Amino acid sequence: DGGITQSPKYLFRKEGQNVTLSCEQNLNHDAMYWYRQDPGQGLRLIYYSQIVNDFQKGDIAEGYSVSREKKESFPLTVTSAQKNPTAFYLCASRPDNRVRRNQPQHFGDGTRLSIL
Amino acid sequence: KNQVEQSPQSLIILEGKNCTLQCNYTVSPFSNLRWYKQDTGRGPVSLTIMTFSENTKSNGRYTATLDADTKQSSLHITASQLSDSASYICVVPYGGSQGNLIFGKGTKLSVKP
């Protein structure tokens, strides 16, 4: 079955440490997204990529970095500059061509990041 | 300001009962509105997409309505089941790009036996 795989499901970060969250999709989708979800808040966009080797900052990109070297993969690094990283992180993908413009985003099952 | 607001924030109903969740939006220009279901600890799953010309769309026991004039949508759940316990999120694209979305804060539904 096609889908989006996020790993690990749970992750703990020490002070001053960078951590990387994995996101892999086999849906052949062009666009990929990273969101942060905090209790009582709507999802907020961190970064997105519409094509390989290109990505754009979202609303809350500070303290995060991404890469898009392959169509299937869009890893997110939470750097030590992100002072409040505890949250649920969701990766999503979507076909990004004119014919399938109204297709919904497909989400992975998330990674919960906590501070040690 | 582009916004998506949902009500109620949370809802508790008995199994077998019906319920209706509300979504008001101020996003412009408008192209479509999506409802997602998110189980605890899981990613959201799409229930339905309503385009500008659609008033009602059903997906099993879920029926979504859209009033583009008043900028309101509702999600009606019929004959609720315990598995309907989840957060229901209303989402609207903005800025002309289908990838840029505004998410509501969701309605947390609990179905009790």
Side-chain angles (χ1 to χ4, degrees), chain A residues 39-106:
Chain A
Q41 293 197 36
L43 273 67
R44 292 182 290 168
L45 182 65
I46 304 173
Y47 268 98
Y48 66 100
S49 167
Q50 294 181 303
I51 196 170
V52 173
N53 291 324
D54 185 54
F55 48 82
Q56 307 295 328
K57 291 182 178 180
D59 301 318
I60 55 167
E62 186 174 351
Y64 300 97
S65 66
V66 293
S67 63
R68 186 85 186 277
E69 297 177 0
K70 299 186 301 181
K71 187 176 184 178
E72 304 78 22
S73 178
F74 190 40
L76 173 74
T77 296
V78 183
T79 75
S80 57
Q82 173 48 247
K83 297 306 179 187
N84 184 24
T86 298
F88 190 51
Y89 291 87
L90 287 160
C91 178
S93 70
R94 193 184 63 86
D96 191 27
N97 57 69
R98 188 167 296 184
V99 174
R100 304 168 71 186
R101 260 292 168 83
N102 279 339
Q103 290 294 310
Q105 291 187 5
H106 293 254

Side-chain angles (χ1 to χ4, degrees), chain B residues 18-21 35 60-65 74-79:
Chain B
N18 304 336
C19 67
T20 300
L21 314 180
W35 283 96
R61 295 180 296 102
Y62 300 102
T63 299
T65 66
S74 66
L75 181 69
H76 186 75
I77 303 175
T78 304

